[in-house]
Amino acid sequence: MRTLSYSGLLCILSIAPFTGSLAAPSRSHPHKVKESIVPPRGWVKHSIPSADHTIVLRIGLPQPNFHVLEQHLYAVSDPYHERYGAHLSKEEVERLVAPHQESLDVVDEWLKSHDIKEGELVRSPAKDWVTLKIPVSLAEKMLDTTYSVWKHVESGDELVRTTSYSLPENIHEHVDVVQPTTMFGQFKRFKSTISWPEDSETPPQLKAVATASGVTVDPSCNSTITIKCLQQLYNFVGYTPTSKGNSIGITGYLEEFANSQDLQSFYAEQRPDAVNSTFKFVSVNGGLNNQTLSESGAEAALDVQFAFGLAHPIPGTFYSTAGRPPFKPDVTTPTNTNEPYALWLDYVLSHPNPPFSISTSYGDDEQTVPESYARRVCASFAQLGARGVSLLFSSGDWGVGDNNEDPATQECFTNDGRNITRFIPLFPASCPFVTSVGGTVGINEVAVSRFYSGGGFSDYFSRPFYQDKVVKDHLATIPKGTYKGLYNPKGRGIPDVAAQSDRYRIYWRGRAVLIGGTSASSPAFAAIVSLLNDVRLSKRLPPLGFLNPLLYSKGISGFNDVTIGHNSGCGTKGFNATQGWDPVTGLGTPDFGKLKKLVLPFH
């Protein structure tokens, strides 16, 4: 792989802005279709929004030097590269993703032609995104389109959307994407059903098991997962972080609030040395911090209690991001209808010191997020990776299928009007610049449970180079013709890694409950990454940052391979867990004892 030297980066960063003749104001140019989709399956036109209904419009300008940023991302994330760990600063990243001045000027002229003033705009730090609040009537004029209220037949969710929009011809090359327009995603949390410990069906008890690392796992861990269980399973019993400056973060959406009283109850039971410690709360876009015990979120409780409990005393941050798409469009100014993780990205990219390890347990069916928008959001994740942030995302709980909890009755169809059967990969887990975490269950760690570990292959993103060998090796094990046409064998493979994902004991609304899903796997793995960052920081080394190039090379030997189980969905058994990487559990589950040696420089 060709990479640029650091001096080459400085050269790129100092390039003068593009200057050239500006196109004439956009009103003199006819509109041309920018994006058009077939009405997605399950959505029907319901009504017409009022003309003064407010839309928060996000306009993405091109990032002409993103390929350079990508080169640097891989250089600083490759453990065999001389620049490994030399992460870029916030300012360096912003310069690399900044649009040309011509794009800024042309788009500004277009906005001015619609009487939109500079004071009405919000620009991202790199100026690659422009956000404005406007009535739907003006949005329709600007985009030469007609918005409708669309209703999802099954859920009753409603969205104000269009299936096609246009831009003046002279604007096309200066705008990558405009949303909300064609996005019909149903942003959702990943978790299986909550159960009460006294009512739950207890799996057969096993005798104490010695793991490959020689650590003995208590047999109770087969029915209930605690902090002690994960420490035993993943070989970090007795490890205490000591470095300064480390950090871990959890993202919260959809009015999920992390309750402090529940956290203290959890600490008292499972992490007594953490009692009376807390986390930093950050509100994004008006996100609330409702501490009413009866309104606390199970997802937030799971994420915070295990991520911060496993990583203690590493400082934790919980981000509460407002926004709940879909919404009921029956008021003039609605809740923001863009995907909330885009709002969170806006916020975290604008801050100089985001947490080094961040877990997210939410996502969408990939096909419900327009590819142009998915690529731009994915590029934002790359910016964080280049700055030294490890991003962990749950791979989903429905195997190769959609969010129907019964794999046998899932209807997995394409969203492009063809309505052909297709496996349903998830986004953002399918982005090649994040680490996707699948699920296992039981002391013997198999890839099957009350739900199925999300996995498969992206239809948007091609297979990244770091996955090339292991994915090809796995594809060679699949009998020829199996699932032909149901997945993209050239796509980015999901997940990358796995961890325990069922029967986690947490405190929720004042009571102990069991909860699971890859919602549990991701924060647990993020905590282990945070501990690995402690190993490096204690040696005065930078944090790990984007993990995947390390995991798929030097780090492979630090994982316990999972070879039993599958991930049913779409009326099929899905893929099998096999020797080596597989689209069920990825590379396997972590062995901290091995990884803490592998994350240090060669001797």
Side-chain angles (χ1 to χ4, degrees):
M1 179 185 68
R2 295 171 55 192
T3 58
L4 294 182
S5 65
Y6 191 69
S7 60
L9 168 63
L10 296 178
C11 179
I12 288 290
L13 296 179
S14 64
I15 292 176
F18 177 88
T19 58
S21 59
L22 287 181
S26 59
R27 278 181 174 170
S28 63
H29 292 264
H31 278 71
K32 178 182 176 182
V33 174
K34 178 69 173 178
E35 186 171 23
S36 181
I37 65 168
V38 175
R41 183 182 178 87
W43 290 90
V44 295
K45 280 187 181 181
H46 179 260
S47 57
I48 299 172
S50 63
D52 57 355
H53 171 83
T54 301
I55 284 182
V56 181
L57 208 63
R58 289 172 57 85
I59 304 167
L61 280 63
Q63 302 169 328
N65 286 321
F66 178 77
H67 66 289
V68 181
L69 173 71
E70 188 175 14
Q71 288 179 330
H72 287 285
L73 170 66
Y74 283 125
V76 301
S77 307
D78 178 357
Y80 299 104
H81 198 284
E82 62 183 0
R83 286 184 53 216
Y84 180 58
H87 303 118
L88 306 186
S89 69
K90 172 178 177 290
E91 293 74 20
E92 287 171 334
V93 168
E94 288 169 359
R95 290 170 190 163
L96 283 170
V97 298
H100 285 319
Q101 186 63 44
E102 184 186 22
S103 294
L104 291 168
D105 293 339
V106 170
V107 171
D108 283 353
E109 285 296 319
W110 173 51
L111 296 176
K112 288 177 184 177
S113 74
H114 290 282
D115 299 320
I116 298 170
K117 301 177 177 61
E118 177 64 29
E120 299 172 309
L121 307 178
V122 176
R123 300 184 189 273
S124 63
K127 299 183 178 180
D128 56 330
W129 284 101
V130 178
T131 304
L132 59 154
K133 294 183 179 181
I134 56 176
V136 69
S137 56
L138 178 55
E140 290 180 334
K141 184 178 180 181
M142 293 172 61
L143 303 176
D144 191 27
T145 190
T146 300
Y147 279 87
S148 300
V149 177
W150 291 77
K151 185 171 184 176
H152 191 254
V153 176
E154 183 178 344
S155 67
D157 291 332
E158 295 179 3
L159 288 171
V160 174
R161 293 292 188 268
T162 181
T163 56
S164 177
Y165 71 93
S166 301
L167 296 172
E169 285 187 329
N170 69 312
I171 300 294
H172 271 245
E173 64 179 301
H174 301 290
V175 171
D176 278 347
V177 62
V178 181
Q179 290 293 347
T181 50
T182 57
M183 183 187 301
F184 286 79
Q186 291 179 285
F187 192 67
K188 53 186 174 287
R189 61 182 67 83
F190 300 140
K191 68 174 184 294
S192 60
T193 305
I194 296 168
S195 61
W196 309 107
E198 60 268 30
D199 299 331
S200 62
E201 179 183 348
T202 303
Q205 289 292 314
L206 300 178
K207 295 180 180 180
V209 172
T211 65
S213 60
V215 177
T216 299
V217 181
D218 191 283
S220 66
C221 299
N222 195 52
S223 58
T224 303
I225 292 296
T226 63
I227 283 180
K228 184 179 293 184
C229 290
L230 295 176
Q231 290 172 332
Q232 292 173 353
L233 278 164
Y234 302 136
N235 193 20
F236 58 103
V237 174
Y239 184 86
T240 302
T242 58
S243 65
K244 303 293 185 181
N246 202 352
S247 51
I248 181 172
I250 292 293
T251 63
Y253 302 100
L254 308 182
E255 290 88 56
E256 283 278 345
F257 310 115
N259 184 269
S260 296
Q261 183 177 331
D262 279 337
L263 179 65
Q264 293 306 316
S265 297
F266 175 82
Y267 281 165
E269 178 184 274
Q270 296 194 36
R271 192 81 205 225
D273 59 327
V275 170
N276 295 326
S277 67
T278 187
F279 54 88
K280 178 181 178 181
F281 171 82
V282 175
S283 172
V284 179
N285 193 46
L288 301 178
N289 187 21
N290 188 339
Q291 287 297 305
T292 303
L293 192 63
S294 63
E295 297 182 24
S296 63
E299 177 65 63
L302 167 64
D303 294 353
V304 163
Q305 289 171 27
F306 270 88
F308 299 161
L310 287 167
H312 180 75
I314 297 170
T317 298
F318 179 76
Y319 296 92
S320 174
T321 302
R324 174 184 272 272
F327 73 108
K328 296 288 186 182
D330 53 4
V331 292
T332 299
T333 305
T335 300
N336 189 289
T337 59
N338 285 298
E339 296 295 0
Y341 48 72
L343 299 174
W344 175 78
L345 276 167
D346 288 346
Y347 178 89
V348 77
L349 284 169
S350 70
H351 282 68
N353 299 304
F356 293 147
S357 173
I358 303 175
S359 174
T360 298
S361 297
Y362 301 76
D364 278 316
D365 294 343
E366 185 183 69
Q367 65 175 355
T368 66
V369 181
E371 184 173 352
S372 58
Y373 189 68
R375 290 190 177 279
R376 280 302 298 260
V377 170
C378 187
S380 294
F381 295 139
Q383 294 180 50
L384 285 172
R387 289 172 55 182
V389 178
S390 302
L391 296 170
L392 293 305
F393 279 84
S394 302
S395 71
D397 300 338
W398 304 286
V400 295
D402 59 16
N403 61 1
N404 185 328
E405 293 187 5
D406 182 358
T409 60
Q410 286 175 342
E411 295 183 348
C412 304
F413 297 101
T414 58
N415 217 23
D416 55 7
R418 295 180 299 163
N419 289 334
I420 61 173
T421 302
R422 186 83 169 177
F423 291 163
I424 309 294
L426 295 174
F427 180 82
S430 64
C431 170
F433 303 128
V434 307
T435 301
S436 173
V437 188
T440 61
V441 66
I443 292 176
N444 291 329
E445 298 225 86
V446 298
V448 64
S449 183
R450 291 181 295 161
F451 59 90
Y452 293 90
S453 177
F457 299 88
S458 172
D459 285 321
Y460 287 175
F461 302 99
S462 59
R463 183 168 63 236
F465 75 91
Y466 58 76
Q467 278 192 325
D468 205 39
K469 183 181 186 306
V470 295
V471 172
K472 284 181 177 177
D473 288 346
H474 177 78
L475 291 174
T477 70
I478 300 176
K480 190 174 182 180
T482 302
Y483 302 149
K484 184 177 181 181
L486 295 184
Y487 71 97
N488 173 23
K490 296 182 180 179
R492 183 265 202 267
I494 312 162
D496 299 297
V497 294
Q500 284 282 314
S501 57
D502 201 9
R503 299 179 178 272
Y504 277 58
R505 182 180 171 91
I506 66 167
Y507 274 80
W508 178 56
R509 300 184 178 179
R511 186 176 177 184
V513 301
L514 300 181
I515 188 172
T518 54
S519 282
S521 311
S522 185
F525 198 93
I528 293 171
V529 172
S530 193
L531 298 178
L532 293 172
N533 280 333
D534 176 76
V535 172
R536 288 182 58 82
L537 292 169
S538 65
K539 302 290 187 182
R540 298 188 178 182
L541 296 168
L544 292 168
F546 176 41
L547 296 170
N548 295 2
L550 166 71
L551 302 183
Y552 283 90
S553 58
K554 188 180 177 185
I556 283 183
S557 61
F559 286 86
N560 307 310
D561 197 6
V562 178
T563 60
I564 300 174
H566 59 275
N567 57 353
S568 294
C570 305
T572 75
K573 280 189 61 178
F575 296 102
N576 291 322
T578 59
Q579 185 175 352
W581 180 91
D582 54 68
V584 188
T585 59
L587 297 171
T589 59
D591 184 326
F592 179 80
K594 293 179 180 178
L595 287 169
K596 72 178 182 179
K597 298 176 182 178
L598 295 171
V599 299
L600 295 176
F602 292 104
H603 297 288

